[in-house]
Amino acid sequence: MLVVMKPSATPAEVEAVAEKIRSLGLTPHPIPGAQRVAIGVTGNKSGLEPEVFEILPGVAEAIRVSQPFKLVSREVKQEDTVIDVGGVPLGGSSIAVMAGPCSVESKEQILSAAVAVKAAGARFLRGGAYKPRTSPYEFQGLHEEGLKLLALAREATGLKVVTEVMDSDTLSMVAEYADVLQIGARNMQNFSLLKKLGALGKPILLKRGPSSTIKEWLMAAEYVVSNGNYQVALCERGIRTFETMTRNTLDLNAVPVLKALTHLPVVVDPSHGIGLRAHVAAMARAGIAAGADGLIVEVHPAPEKALSDGHQSLTFSEFDELMRQARVIAGAVGRTI
Amino acid sequence: MLVVMKPSATPAEVEAVAEKIRSLGLTPHPIPGAQRVAIGVTGNKSGLEPEVFEILPGVAEAIRVSQPFKLVSREVKQEDTVIDVGGVPLGGSSIAVMAGPCSVESKEQILSAAVAVKAAGARFLRGGAYKPRTSPYEFQGLHEEGLKLLALAREATGLKVVTEVMDSDTLSMVAEYADVLQIGARNMQNFSLLKKLGALGKPILLKRGPSSTIKEWLMAAEYVVSNGNYQVALCERGIRTFETMTRNTLDLNAVPVLKALTHLPVVVDPSHGIGLRAHVAAMARAGIAAGADGLIVEVHPAPEKALSDGHQSLTFSEFDELMRQARVIAGAVGRTI
Amino acid sequence: MLVVMKPSATPAEVEAVAEKIRSLGLTPHPIPGAQRVAIGVTGNKSGLEPEVFEILPGVAEAIRVSQPFKLVSREVKQEDTVIDVGGVPLGGSSIAVMAGPCSVESKEQILSAAVAVKAAGARFLRGGAYKPRTSPYEFQGLHEEGLKLLALAREATGLKVVTEVMDSDTLSMVAEYADVLQIGARNMQNFSLLKKLGALGKPILLKRGPSSTIKEWLMAAEYVVSNGNYQVALCERGIRTFETMTRNTLDLNAVPVLKALTHLPVVVDPSHGIGLRAHVAAMARAGIAAGADGLIVEVHPAPEKALSDGHQSLTFSEFDELMRQARVIAGAVGRTI
Amino acid sequence: MLVVMKPSATPAEVEAVAEKIRSLGLTPHPIPGAQRVAIGVTGNKSGLEPEVFEILPGVAEAIRVSQPFKLVSREVKQEDTVIDVGGVPLGGSSIAVMAGPCSVESKEQILSAAVAVKAAGARFLRGGAYKPRTSPYEFQGLHEEGLKLLALAREATGLKVVTEVMDSDTLSMVAEYADVLQIGARNMQNFSLLKKLGALGKPILLKRGPSSTIKEWLMAAEYVVSNGNYQVALCERGIRTFETMTRNTLDLNAVPVLKALTHLPVVVDPSHGIGLRAHVAAMARAGIAAGADGLIVEVHPAPEKALSDGHQSLTFSEFDELMRQARVIAGAVGRTI
């Protein structure tokens, strides 16, 4: 159920609706809107009658929400969510480009990558300090030292920092350094972590689990949003299928489907999505053409020496060329970069 | 093994090489090329030494082919194959657009669809007369009557006809009416049929099986080509995954991967690939951006009344709008429509 | 809709019901039953009232069939189908064991395999004369020569012959030699072939397509049965998933699910299902424990020299040991071998 | 690399080998063995020569380990691991049966379930107090209250308690009450949690992620073991495929494959594996026939009223019947329950 207030509704009227909701044993979720306030209602198992709310002062209408995901659905909020990352938009008409190495490896590496991706037009720097690795014997990241290097690169370039948080233990530390917290594919249904992210006032980039349905993914986002944090972007990074010639199968179908179902921004990760350096640019172009609101791309000063994901990382000049192509495609679909 | 002849090689020299190949118990496959002749060699299990051929007159070089698919690989033929469909190219810089209803249903339906898709810019008319259906109780197509209606629509509009052939029994009949023979996804590994197509001088549109790997798909094309027919285009139409919100998962990763591995044209079918009318245009755009050489799209005068696939068929005006978008994206990647 | 006749119904009463069905533009399918006749009705799109038939003489009741597969469903025929293969049952309380090489390779090979698998307790000899192969350059079978060798082995041992038919062109020839016609996984939805099998009075072993749902598989069986041939057994041989350590993923869930949905016998192929010789016996045991009515197992006199599938073929002594284990498990679930 | 000590090796000789390993910048992992000590070596990127260790006193031999998983592999430890859960074995010749409700719901519910499953022969009680749920609006478990009820049921029946831990925050609390800590499928690659489990002296039941390969699963177990905890059992609970008629696809292929690759016990969860109450017993039988060391089954006093997973929970009498069948199959493969 969604209760939409009139543009003229007073704060007291909004609070009265919230109080009515609580009195029924349900939970009110005030939803940010440019024109007017709406209040999502969750917790109702049985059918709730719209009339219960429509008779209250200041209420425009009460709408039943048919999807299992509520607060993230377009039914509840029609206009696109645009996340303000310290002045840089994530969502909206401008396509957000995030680029940088898979892992932060050294000061020289991250600084040179930051300078190069900024020059090419990216406004976000990606780089992992905590790395989830299939094997316990592989490089696991530089941890806090990596976070400090990211902060240094931000100071040097003005880029916003996107970096992964793997667990609750390191959440406050990572949140201190990051502008956007990335939740990795393996953690998409780490519900304990998702709830904590809901209580945090930081933008979240929620990657799709490799075998998660679109519905499960939206429910994962709902965990964050229903706990109070609306600053969530979704990142398609490929699903697991039978095809072995590519690392994953980038599911670009998900882009238009998501844009119809949810108001949250949708980002595409062509690097993990195909896993082959030679073809990252083609899939980045395709992602924008499908309607994505952002790209996240692995770029490394020397991919052949990278401690992780070198086979799918672009060189600086390859990224520069990708950005040139991306701008043309963005223009063709009425977007800017 | 591929034996590349010098541009100056005489027909007698080419034949001498073929004879040498046969004398070793192997099979020669002369490969069409603009500049010079090459001869594929198949049948060799054990290592064959290039020197065996390089000492023959007129031979430029003999190259080992590392992939299990031989004649369809870029190793063997580097320039793109452009199929000449009665004067209309399939492959090359211009993007081939095929459009029309899932099934031919009536004279009025197919003629109106043909006129409309031609007006919007398509140069091929699609339409099924023999329909593979999951249930024996569903509409199975108009059969020869449908083929005749397609021929009528061709006469009326000049469009080339693309239609599915389901089996050997009807092959000669379908081939009589069709300009391009479509092999459906379920028949991709119908090896008996593939061999017959190899002996036929008609262009083939080979759809990917819903659970076929890219390698298996190329091996299926190899069945056709090694039996003598080089006029094969590959059609990505979605693979089967765990995701149920879309009919299939359109694997656009396959587009750049195929363009690197094979010289055959690659067509994308966004209609089956996503299966949701509202999102067909987005996936068509993405297909072109990923590098596809063609599109095949379901268009129906009244999708809500279609005997099959109505939920994924575009109206005429939706197709017109898709073509407008497709042209812009094509231009952005240096192609025309 | 299923019209169940009283045990006392006369042939004239049965025919009168069939005539009534035809008069409604629908198709009657008389269904064999030990106790009484039933008549399946297909072709009805709109709701048909049971009363239309229940008022006719000799009719016990008319039942709506909720599943999309009609004649193969348990709703329509409750008792298990037992196929009589020249005196040897396929289906019923005794578990049918089919064994032999992937391909017929020579007289010595097939005769020695036949003698060995018979000695171990198999009653059916499997062996391919027409082999669907991913590559056009691989061994494709001995064709009619292979069929003759199978017939020879049958004469020598009394085993029933199970062999694959790949296409309509060779159907009559293969049917002449085979006791059971196997339809390979890639041909499960070769609808043209399925219809022809429906007109043939021969038992069919219909393998599941590697990405076919259980429902699609039952619909494929429905193609055969609705065309007049009730002698169909289903063979689970593994589906395609993301797991690469095994050749396929043997879906034993399908066994109890099928036994509940259909009256047709269910056979398990552990050889293709796991693709690793060392583990074939474990999966054969599991198949019987799950409720399978039969097994089909690859056995070769010298697996390391096999022209196909050697890595998953058992030696004679391994098969002997498997049969010993299978008998124990069969006894534990109240079955015999 | 694995360094195997002679049975006669002294503690000082073992420590000298460990010191040598450390001196090379590598990590020694002493591995428990009935007959003699072995020491796993991890951290070596480049080839290490066996001679380096074989010249040391007390060393029998040094063996290269070819698999990416080291300490969990059969190469490193050949005899089956048998976990001692307070006197009840998990692993070994006796099949461990774990049964109980999906969620702990009330004192009456868990006590009656415990009494019933014990009477039927189970030695472990399962029940969730922390429930990972796809939707934030669904029942999430009774939390500590649920743990207390499990402890109560243990006191009343002597059953060992198996319950899920979802995160690091609640790990110490759950560990206080549980005899075996279950890691859910969604947490299989929650590497932060796995490392913490490695430091804990408690048996772990590690469920397979729904899209995890067998190799990834073994690497996840390696995270626990390489951090010091060898008491890990693996639980196959179904993988995600395209089939929608069953909740998951129970991959019984994994059972014999795992038994060959690892010394850890393998448990099968037929309840989640098929997700349909009517067919749980068939899949439990199949699991034992395939070689599983244990079963975990959902049982509820009134499945139709269960707060979660009611559709796949057995009634007491259904479980009793399953146990009867399971005993017969266990006997047929030389095991006991």
Side-chain angles (χ1 to χ4, degrees):
Chain A
M1 178 72 73
L2 178 77
V3 183
V4 182
M5 305 301 292
K6 293 177 185 162
S8 60
T10 65
E13 285 170 344
V14 172
E15 176 50 30
V17 170
E19 188 50 42
K20 174 69 181 174
I21 293 167
R22 281 188 289 264
S23 77
L24 295 166
L26 308 176
T27 310
H29 301 266
I31 296 167
Q35 308 287 325
R36 54 190 188 178
V37 173
I39 307 173
V41 184
T42 62
N44 47 320
K45 296 282 178 185
S46 55
L48 203 58
E49 291 303 315
E51 290 74 25
V52 173
F53 302 106
E54 288 177 346
I55 56 165
L56 297 180
V59 171
E61 58 177 334
I63 305 165
R64 286 203 178 89
V65 181
S66 59
Q67 298 283 11
F69 38 91
K70 307 292 179 192
L71 307 176
V72 305
S73 81
R74 281 250 184 234
E75 293 178 272
V76 154
K77 178 168 177 287
Q78 290 184 18
E79 70 268 34
D80 285 339
T81 287
V82 181
I83 303 171
D84 177 3
V85 186
V88 179
L90 171 47
S93 64
S94 166
I95 291 174
V97 179
M98 307 165 178
C102 175
S103 303
V104 181
E105 297 171 5
S106 69
K107 184 174 164 185
E108 294 65 35
Q109 179 237 24
I110 195 67
L111 278 180
S112 69
V115 168
V117 304
K118 186 183 182 187
R123 302 192 67 184
F124 296 82
L125 174 68
R126 65 150 289 154
Y130 291 87
K131 300 297 307 170
R133 301 303 298 273
T134 300
S135 165
Y137 309 124
E138 286 170 345
F139 176 62
Q140 314 258 325
L142 294 184
H143 298 177
E144 191 173 4
E145 178 58 22
L147 296 172
K148 288 180 178 167
L149 293 175
L150 285 166
L152 202 68
R154 171 173 46 203
E155 277 173 51
T157 59
L159 293 173
K160 302 300 168 186
V161 165
V162 184
T163 196
E164 178 163 354
V165 59
M166 280 181 65
D167 52 40
S168 304
D169 296 349
T170 54
L171 177 55
S172 63
M173 182 194 287
V174 177
E176 199 181 311
Y177 293 94
D179 297 300
V180 178
L181 289 165
Q182 178 182 314
I183 304 305
R186 298 177 183 89
N187 265 331
M188 192 202 87
Q189 290 190 313
N190 184 334
F191 300 121
S192 306
L193 183 58
L194 295 178
K195 286 178 185 171
K196 291 217 170 82
L197 295 169
L200 204 76
K202 280 270 178 181
I204 306 298
L205 184 68
L206 181 65
K207 291 199 145 190
R208 181 182 189 178
S211 68
S212 293
T213 62
I214 291 170
K215 186 182 145 192
E216 288 168 342
W217 191 11
L218 287 169
M219 295 308 286
E222 186 86 4
Y223 262 94
V224 182
V225 172
S226 68
N227 279 281
N229 185 354
Y230 271 79
Q231 302 178 70
V232 178
L234 302 166
C235 178
E236 164 63 36
R237 44 73 75 196
I239 59 174
R240 179 159 273 183
T241 69
F242 60 82
E243 179 59 66
T244 55
M245 222 178 243
T246 50
R247 179 170 177 177
N248 290 293
T249 296
L250 187 65
D251 180 13
L252 289 181
N253 276 354
V255 176
V257 168
L258 283 172
K259 293 302 292 176
L261 291 175
T262 182
H263 51 84
L264 300 177
V266 177
V267 173
V268 165
D269 175 350
S271 306
H272 289 83
I274 192 162
L276 299 165
R277 190 192 312 172
H279 304 318
V280 167
M283 300 317 289
R285 290 195 308 261
I288 297 175
D293 300 306
L295 293 177
I296 183 164
V297 181
E298 289 187 346
V299 178
H300 194 282
E304 70 287 358
K305 294 183 187 162
L307 293 183
S308 56
D309 282 356
H311 56 283
Q312 70 190 32
S313 296
L314 302 184
T315 61
F316 295 162
S317 67
E318 287 167 341
F319 179 65
D320 205 59
E321 167 64 13
L322 176 153
M323 285 297 283
R324 201 194 55 73
Q325 298 177 19
R327 269 191 207 94
V328 177
I329 302 287
V333 292
R335 309 286 286 265
T336 57
I337 292 194
Chain B
M1 178 74 72
L2 177 78
V3 184
V4 182
M5 305 301 293
K6 292 177 185 161
S8 59
T10 66
E13 286 169 344
V14 172
E15 176 50 28
V17 171
E19 189 49 41
K20 175 68 182 175
I21 292 167
R22 281 188 288 264
S23 77
L24 295 166
L26 308 176
T27 310
H29 300 266
I31 296 167
Q35 308 286 326
R36 55 191 188 178
V37 173
I39 306 173
V41 184
T42 61
N44 48 319
K45 297 280 178 185
S46 55
L48 204 57
E49 291 303 315
E51 290 74 25
V52 173
F53 302 106
E54 288 177 346
I55 57 167
L56 298 179
V59 170
E61 59 176 334
I63 305 166
R64 286 202 177 90
V65 181
S66 58
Q67 298 283 11
F69 37 91
K70 306 293 179 192
L71 307 176
V72 305
S73 81
R74 281 249 184 236
E75 292 178 273
V76 154
K77 177 166 178 287
Q78 290 183 18
E79 69 268 33
D80 284 340
T81 286
V82 181
I83 303 171
D84 177 2
V85 186
V88 179
L90 171 48
S93 65
S94 165
I95 290 174
V97 179
M98 308 166 177
C102 175
S103 302
V104 181
E105 296 171 7
S106 70
K107 184 174 163 186
E108 294 65 35
Q109 178 235 25
I110 195 67
L111 278 180
S112 69
V115 168
V117 303
K118 186 184 182 188
R123 300 192 68 183
F124 297 82
L125 175 67
R126 66 150 290 156
Y130 292 87
K131 299 299 307 171
R133 301 303 299 271
T134 301
S135 166
Y137 308 125
E138 286 170 347
F139 175 62
Q140 313 259 326
L142 294 184
H143 298 177
E144 191 173 5
E145 178 58 22
L147 296 173
K148 287 181 178 165
L149 293 175
L150 285 167
L152 202 69
R154 172 173 47 204
E155 278 173 50
T157 59
L159 292 173
K160 303 299 168 186
V161 165
V162 183
T163 197
E164 178 162 354
V165 59
M166 278 182 66
D167 51 40
S168 305
D169 297 350
T170 54
L171 177 56
S172 63
M173 181 193 289
V174 178
E176 200 181 310
Y177 292 94
D179 297 299
V180 177
L181 288 164
Q182 178 182 312
I183 304 306
R186 297 177 184 89
N187 266 331
M188 192 201 86
Q189 291 191 311
N190 184 334
F191 300 122
S192 306
L193 184 57
L194 295 179
K195 286 178 185 171
K196 292 216 169 82
L197 295 169
L200 203 76
K202 280 271 178 181
I204 306 298
L205 184 68
L206 181 64
K207 290 199 146 191
R208 182 183 189 175
S211 69
S212 294
T213 62
I214 292 171
K215 188 183 144 191
E216 288 168 343
W217 190 11
L218 287 169
M219 296 307 288
E222 186 85 5
Y223 262 94
V224 182
V225 172
S226 67
N227 279 280
N229 185 355
Y230 272 79
Q231 302 177 70
V232 178
L234 302 166
C235 178
E236 164 63 36
R237 45 74 75 197
I239 59 174
R240 179 160 275 183
T241 69
F242 60 82
E243 179 60 65
T244 55
M245 224 178 241
T246 50
R247 179 170 177 179
N248 290 293
T249 296
L250 187 66
D251 180 13
L252 290 180
N253 276 354
V255 176
V257 168
L258 283 172
K259 294 301 293 175
L261 292 175
T262 182
H263 50 84
L264 301 176
V266 177
V267 173
V268 165
D269 176 349
S271 305
H272 289 84
I274 191 162
L276 299 166
R277 189 191 312 171
H279 304 318
V280 167
M283 300 317 290
R285 290 195 309 262
I288 298 175
D293 300 307
L295 292 177
I296 183 164
V297 181
E298 290 188 346
V299 178
H300 194 283
E304 69 288 358
K305 294 183 185 161
L307 294 182
S308 55
D309 281 358
H311 56 284
Q312 70 191 33
S313 297
L314 301 185
T315 61
F316 295 162
S317 67
E318 286 167 339
F319 179 65
D320 205 60
E321 167 65 12
L322 175 153
M323 285 297 283
R324 199 194 56 72
Q325 298 177 19
R327 268 191 207 93
V328 177
I329 302 286
V333 293
R335 310 286 286 264
T336 56
I337 292 194
Chain C
M1 178 74 73
L2 178 78
V3 183
V4 182
M5 304 301 293
K6 293 177 185 162
S8 60
T10 65
E13 286 170 344
V14 171
E15 176 50 31
V17 171
E19 188 49 42
K20 174 70 182 173
I21 292 168
R22 281 188 289 264
S23 76
L24 295 166
L26 309 176
T27 309
H29 301 266
I31 296 167
Q35 309 285 325
R36 57 189 185 177
V37 174
I39 306 173
V41 184
T42 62
N44 46 319
K45 296 281 176 184
S46 54
L48 205 57
E49 291 303 314
E51 291 73 25
V52 173
F53 302 105
E54 288 179 344
I55 57 166
L56 297 179
V59 171
E61 58 176 334
I63 305 165
R64 287 205 176 88
V65 181
S66 58
Q67 298 283 10
F69 37 92
K70 308 291 180 193
L71 307 176
V72 305
S73 81
R74 280 251 184 235
E75 292 178 272
V76 154
K77 177 166 178 287
Q78 289 183 20
E79 69 269 32
D80 285 340
T81 287
V82 181
I83 303 170
D84 177 2
V85 185
V88 179
L90 171 48
S93 65
S94 166
I95 290 173
V97 179
M98 308 165 177
C102 175
S103 303
V104 181
E105 296 170 7
S106 70
K107 184 175 165 184
E108 295 66 35
Q109 178 237 25
I110 194 67
L111 278 180
S112 69
V115 168
V117 304
K118 186 185 182 185
R123 301 192 69 183
F124 296 83
L125 175 65
R126 64 150 290 155
Y130 292 87
K131 299 297 306 170
R133 302 303 298 272
T134 300
S135 167
Y137 308 124
E138 286 171 345
F139 175 62
Q140 313 259 326
L142 294 184
H143 298 176
E144 189 171 8
E145 178 59 21
L147 296 172
K148 287 180 177 165
L149 294 175
L150 284 167
L152 202 70
R154 171 172 49 201
E155 278 174 49
T157 59
L159 293 173
K160 303 300 170 188
V161 165
V162 184
T163 196
E164 178 163 354
V165 59
M166 278 181 66
D167 51 40
S168 304
D169 296 348
T170 55
L171 177 56
S172 63
M173 181 193 289
V174 177
E176 199 182 310
Y177 292 94
D179 297 300
V180 178
L181 288 165
Q182 178 183 313
I183 305 304
R186 296 176 184 91
N187 266 330
M188 192 201 86
Q189 291 190 314
N190 184 333
F191 300 122
S192 305
L193 184 57
L194 295 178
K195 286 178 184 171
K196 292 217 169 82
L197 295 169
L200 203 77
K202 280 271 178 183
I204 307 298
L205 184 68
L206 181 64
K207 291 199 146 189
R208 181 183 189 177
S211 67
S212 294
T213 62
I214 290 171
K215 187 183 144 192
E216 288 169 342
W217 191 12
L218 287 169
M219 295 307 288
E222 186 86 6
Y223 261 94
V224 182
V225 171
S226 67
N227 279 280
N229 185 354
Y230 271 79
Q231 301 178 72
V232 178
L234 302 166
C235 179
E236 164 63 36
R237 43 74 77 198
I239 58 174
R240 177 159 276 183
T241 69
F242 60 82
E243 179 59 64
T244 55
M245 224 179 241
T246 51
R247 180 171 177 177
N248 289 294
T249 296
L250 188 66
D251 179 15
L252 290 180
N253 276 354
V255 176
V257 168
L258 283 172
K259 294 302 292 176
L261 291 176
T262 182
H263 51 84
L264 300 177
V266 178
V267 174
V268 165
D269 175 349
S271 305
H272 288 84
I274 191 161
L276 299 165
R277 189 192 311 171
H279 304 317
V280 167
M283 299 318 289
R285 291 196 309 263
I288 297 175
D293 301 306
L295 292 178
I296 182 163
V297 180
E298 289 188 345
V299 178
H300 195 282
E304 69 287 359
K305 293 183 187 161
L307 293 183
S308 55
D309 281 357
H311 57 282
Q312 70 190 34
S313 296
L314 302 184
T315 62
F316 295 162
S317 67
E318 286 167 341
F319 178 66
D320 206 61
E321 167 64 13
L322 175 153
M323 286 297 283
R324 201 194 56 71
Q325 298 177 19
R327 270 191 205 94
V328 178
I329 302 287
V333 291
R335 310 286 285 264
T336 57
I337 292 195
Chain D
M1 178 75 72
L2 178 77
V3 183
V4 182
M5 304 301 293
K6 293 177 184 162
S8 60
T10 65
E13 285 170 345
V14 171
E15 176 49 30
V17 170
E19 188 50 41
K20 174 69 184 174
I21 293 167
R22 282 188 288 263
S23 78
L24 295 166
L26 309 176
T27 310
H29 300 266
I31 297 167
Q35 308 285 326
R36 55 189 187 176
V37 173
I39 306 173
V41 183
T42 61
N44 46 320
K45 297 281 177 183
S46 55
L48 203 57
E49 290 304 314
E51 292 73 24
V52 172
F53 301 105
E54 289 178 344
I55 56 167
L56 298 179
V59 171
E61 58 177 335
I63 306 165
R64 286 203 176 88
V65 181
S66 59
Q67 299 283 9
F69 37 91
K70 307 292 178 189
L71 306 176
V72 304
S73 82
R74 280 250 185 238
E75 293 178 271
V76 154
K77 177 166 178 286
Q78 290 184 20
E79 70 268 33
D80 285 340
T81 286
V82 181
I83 302 170
D84 177 2
V85 185
V88 179
L90 170 49
S93 64
S94 166
I95 290 174
V97 179
M98 306 164 179
C102 175
S103 302
V104 181
E105 296 170 7
S106 70
K107 183 174 164 184
E108 296 64 36
Q109 177 236 27
I110 195 67
L111 278 180
S112 69
V115 168
V117 303
K118 187 185 182 185
R123 302 191 68 185
F124 296 82
L125 174 67
R126 65 149 290 155
Y130 291 87
K131 299 299 305 171
R133 301 303 297 274
T134 300
S135 166
Y137 308 124
E138 287 171 344
F139 176 61
Q140 312 260 327
L142 294 184
H143 298 176
E144 190 171 6
E145 179 58 22
L147 296 172
K148 287 180 178 166
L149 294 174
L150 286 167
L152 202 70
R154 171 172 49 202
E155 276 172 50
T157 59
L159 293 173
K160 302 300 169 186
V161 165
V162 183
T163 197
E164 177 163 355
V165 61
M166 279 181 65
D167 51 40
S168 305
D169 296 349
T170 54
L171 176 55
S172 63
M173 181 194 288
V174 178
E176 199 182 311
Y177 291 94
D179 296 300
V180 178
L181 288 165
Q182 178 183 314
I183 304 304
R186 297 178 184 89
N187 265 331
M188 192 201 87
Q189 291 191 314
N190 183 334
F191 300 122
S192 305
L193 184 57
L194 296 178
K195 286 178 186 173
K196 292 217 170 81
L197 296 168
L200 203 77
K202 281 272 178 180
I204 307 298
L205 184 68
L206 182 64
K207 291 200 145 188
R208 182 183 189 176
S211 67
S212 293
T213 63
I214 291 171
K215 187 183 144 192
E216 288 168 342
W217 191 11
L218 287 169
M219 295 307 288
E222 186 86 4
Y223 262 94
V224 182
V225 172
S226 67
N227 279 281
N229 185 355
Y230 271 79
Q231 302 179 71
V232 178
L234 302 166
C235 179
E236 165 62 35
R237 43 75 75 196
I239 59 174
R240 178 160 276 182
T241 69
F242 59 82
E243 179 59 64
T244 54
M245 223 178 240
T246 50
R247 179 170 178 178
N248 290 294
T249 295
L250 187 65
D251 180 14
L252 289 180
N253 276 354
V255 176
V257 167
L258 283 172
K259 294 302 291 176
L261 291 176
T262 182
H263 50 84
L264 301 177
V266 177
V267 173
V268 165
D269 175 350
S271 305
H272 289 83
I274 191 161
L276 299 165
R277 190 192 311 172
H279 305 317
V280 167
M283 300 317 290
R285 292 195 309 262
I288 297 175
D293 301 307
L295 292 177
I296 183 163
V297 181
E298 289 188 344
V299 178
H300 194 282
E304 70 287 358
K305 295 183 186 161
L307 294 183
S308 56
D309 281 357
H311 56 283
Q312 70 190 32
S313 297
L314 302 184
T315 61
F316 294 162
S317 67
E318 287 167 340
F319 179 65
D320 205 59
E321 167 65 13
L322 176 153
M323 285 298 282
R324 201 195 55 72
Q325 298 177 20
R327 269 191 205 93
V328 178
I329 302 287
V333 292
R335 309 285 286 264
T336 58
I337 292 193

